[in-house]
Amino acid sequence: MSDRLRALFIDHLSIPRGKYLPGSKIGDDASRFARATFGVHYDRDLLLDAPHAKVRDGMPDMELRWQAADIRDSWEPATKVVLGDLYDTEGAPMGLCPRGALKRAIADWQAHGLNPKVGIELEAYALQGDESGRLRPYDAPGGVVYGTGPFSDPMRVNDLIWRKAEEMGFRLDMITAEYDSPQFEYTLSFDDALKAVDDIVLFRLMAREVALDHGMILTFMPKPIAEMGGSGMHINFSFTDGNGQNALASGPLGGPDHLNDLARGCLGGLVHHHKGLAGLIAPTATSYLRLQPGSLSGYWQNWGGDHRAVTTRVSCEGGVKARLEHRMADASANPYTATAAVLQAARLGYEGKLPLPPIETGDGFDTTDARQGVAANLRAAVRDLQADTALVQAVGPELVENHAFMKEREYRKTRDLEPDALLDFYVWFV
C-alpha cells in the first residue's frame, strides 16, 4: 500500500474524527465533513438542537484544513497523520473548533509579548476483557507507585508505546506506574503550547491504539474503577518573553517565596475562575467521582507550593524550569479546550490584577484552609461555567454554548447508570 494520509480533528467530546485520504493529499490541503458532527453524542444520539451544529439547517459542510509542515509519520504502516483546523462554508474559522480556541488563547498571551509553553501529564488505567467479556483491570499485582519493569507491566505494553513514541518524534519525559495498579502516567516534554497539545493528542490516540492491538483498553477516564483512584491531566505552563527567557522566573529559585507579578496574576485568575473552569476541563460524569475532597485531584479553590493537595501548584524549581501546574483537568476533556481554558483563566487574572488569596496551609486530608470546591456533579459544574461570563467570552461563546448543551444531555443520560454501565458509556471513546 502506498502512503496515505490520516487527517484528524478532535471534536467536542474529545473524540478523534477524520478520514483516510490518498497520498495526493499529503501537502497543504483540506477535506470536508458534516458540521452536524458537533451534534453527535457518545451513544451516537444525534441531538437536533445542538447549538451551532446546524443539524436542522440541512447539516452543511465544514472544512478541515491542514498545513504540509504539520504532517508527520504515523504509528500505522504506510500512513502519515495530521491535525488541522475547522472552517465554515464561508471560509471563516469555526467557533466550535477546539484547536482554534487554543490558538486564540496563545494569540491573547502573545499580545503581551509572552509565548505560552506547556507540558501535560496524562494518567490512564489499563483494562482487559475477562472470560465473561467484561472489562477488568489489567492483571499487574506487583504494580506499585513509581513502578517500572515487568511486575508493573507484565505484557510490556508500555515498552511498545515508548518505541512508537520515539519513532514519531515525541519527546517523552517519562512513563511510570501510578498509585493504583494498573494505572500509568505518561508525560511529554515542555514545548510551545500548540505543538505540545498536538503532541499529547496524537500520543494519547497512539497509546490507545497500540494497547488495543495487544488486547488491552487504555482508558483516560477520570474514574473508571470506583474503588480505585482517579486519573488526571495536569497542565503545566510557563511563558517565554521576547528574549527567550522564562517570564515566570524571578531568579534561580522557585516556589511561593519567589513569585513575580506575572505568576501572581496567573494564580489569581486560576483561583478566581476555579468553579467555572471545572465545567470545561472536567467534563464527564465520572469527573465528579474523581473531584472529591482529600483526593489530590484539584477539588479545592486554592493554590500552594510543592503541595499535591492544592489545585494550582507552584514548582519549587526556578530559572528555565519555573512553572505553574494546574491539577483539576482530566483527559476526558479535549486537551485543546482544557489548555485554552487554563491559559485564558490565567490571562484574565494577570490582566485584571485579580487578588491572590493566602497560600493553602492545610494538609489536604484532615485540614484545608479553602472553603470552596467544585460542583458536586456535571450539571452543576456546567451551570457554574455558564455563570462565569468572562471565562466564557475568553474561551469562545459558541464553543461553550455547544459544550453546555451536550453536557446537560450527558448528565441526563448518565445520572442513573450503575458503575459497569457508566464504564461502557465512556470507555471506548475516552
Side-chain angles (χ1 to χ4, degrees):
M1 182 172 66
S2 60
D3 274 359
R4 59 183 179 174
L5 180 66
R6 188 179 184 183
L8 297 170
F9 65 94
I10 311 301
D11 75 359
H12 53 306
L13 302 175
S14 199
I15 297 173
R17 299 187 188 268
K19 296 176 181 178
Y20 288 111
L21 298 166
S24 59
K25 288 283 191 178
I26 298 175
D28 291 352
D29 217 320
S31 187
R32 293 200 164 206
F33 296 79
R35 183 168 174 151
T37 304
F38 281 87
V40 179
H41 224 300
Y42 290 113
D43 56 1
R44 300 172 182 83
D45 186 10
L46 178 61
L47 301 177
L48 303 183
D49 297 312
H52 310 291
K54 297 194 173 183
V55 182
R56 292 189 184 274
D57 298 326
M59 297 190 286
D61 280 349
M62 59 184 178
E63 188 170 65
L64 179 68
R65 299 180 187 175
W66 59 86
Q67 302 296 314
D70 294 330
I71 296 172
R72 60 177 87 189
D73 290 335
S74 174
W75 53 98
E76 296 180 285
T79 303
K80 304 289 187 182
V81 65
V82 70
L83 293 156
D85 299 311
L86 294 170
Y87 293 79
D88 64 22
T89 52
E90 304 302 315
M94 269 182 59
L96 294 176
C97 179
R99 194 168 187 258
L102 177 58
K103 285 186 168 183
R104 291 193 298 275
I106 294 167
D108 287 344
W109 274 108
Q110 288 174 338
H112 292 284
L114 298 171
N115 187 49
K117 310 285 280 190
V118 169
I120 293 179
E121 306 167 41
L122 295 175
E123 294 169 337
Y125 276 92
L127 308 177
Q128 291 177 299
D130 64 14
E131 298 81 359
S132 68
R134 294 299 311 166
L135 288 174
R136 296 291 180 256
Y138 169 35
D139 190 17
V144 294
V145 65
Y146 302 126
T148 57
F151 281 102
S152 293
D153 183 9
M155 292 174 60
R156 307 308 293 257
V157 171
N158 283 306
D159 290 358
L160 301 174
I161 291 171
W162 188 289
R163 193 171 301 124
K164 287 295 183 184
E166 284 191 333
E167 290 174 9
M168 289 194 64
F170 294 133
R171 295 190 300 133
L172 273 167
D173 263 7
M174 71 166 192
I175 297 177
T176 190
E178 260 291 351
Y179 188 84
D180 284 297
S181 179
Q183 187 185 32
F184 300 99
E185 180 177 332
Y186 305 92
T187 303
L188 300 188
S189 297
F190 254 67
D191 215 321
D192 290 335
L194 183 63
K195 184 178 186 305
V197 180
D198 281 346
D199 283 356
I200 209 72
V201 162
L202 289 176
F203 176 87
R204 183 183 64 173
L205 178 59
M206 177 272 291
R208 278 175 57 83
E209 292 186 353
V210 167
L212 185 64
D213 282 344
H214 292 81
M216 189 178 297
I217 299 296
L218 193 66
T219 179
F220 294 88
M221 282 177 63
K223 191 79 167 177
I225 305 167
E227 62 273 19
M228 294 185 179
S231 291
M233 181 174 72
H234 298 170
I235 299 173
N236 298 267
F237 67 96
S238 62
F239 306 92
T240 52
D241 61 21
N243 297 316
Q245 302 300 306
N246 188 335
L248 281 181
S250 56
L253 299 177
D257 295 332
H258 303 278
L259 297 175
N260 59 22
D261 289 343
L262 174 61
R264 288 181 175 278
C266 290
L267 286 166
L270 291 167
V271 172
H272 180 81
H273 294 284
H274 180 81
K275 291 177 73 69
L277 278 168
L280 273 175
I281 72 177
T284 58
T286 65
S287 298
Y288 298 88
L289 303 178
R290 170 182 172 263
L291 286 172
Q292 295 290 320
S295 62
L296 312 183
S297 62
Y299 172 84
W300 291 110
Q301 189 174 16
N302 60 4
W303 71 280
D306 193 7
H307 192 328
R308 285 177 167 80
V310 299
T311 294
T312 308
R313 182 182 177 205
V314 181
S315 172
C316 60
E317 295 182 287
V320 297
K321 293 187 175 181
R323 65 191 182 276
L324 302 177
E325 177 190 11
H326 197 261
R327 298 169 56 84
M328 182 199 295
D330 63 67
S332 67
N334 184 307
Y336 295 111
T337 303
T339 305
V342 168
L343 290 176
Q344 293 288 22
R347 179 182 63 83
L348 291 171
Y350 172 63
E351 291 180 350
K353 296 181 171 58
L354 296 179
L356 181 61
I359 191 170
E360 177 63 59
T361 64
D363 61 26
F365 296 103
D366 298 319
T367 60
T368 307
D369 299 331
R371 291 293 173 263
Q372 189 75 255
V374 298
N377 57 53
L378 179 58
R379 168 182 275 172
V382 168
R383 290 176 179 172
D384 287 339
L385 167 62
Q386 292 171 306
D388 191 340
T389 54
L391 184 63
V392 170
Q393 287 298 314
V395 173
E398 286 188 20
L399 186 154
V400 173
E401 188 180 356
N402 177 273
H403 176 88
F405 178 92
M406 300 301 286
K407 294 303 170 178
E408 169 61 26
R409 299 307 186 276
E410 188 171 327
Y411 173 79
R412 297 179 198 173
K413 289 171 182 287
T414 58
R415 61 185 168 187
D416 297 323
L417 296 182
E418 297 296 327
D420 280 350
L422 197 60
L423 180 68
D424 288 343
F425 186 83
Y426 289 115
V427 73
W428 307 108
F429 311 105
V430 178

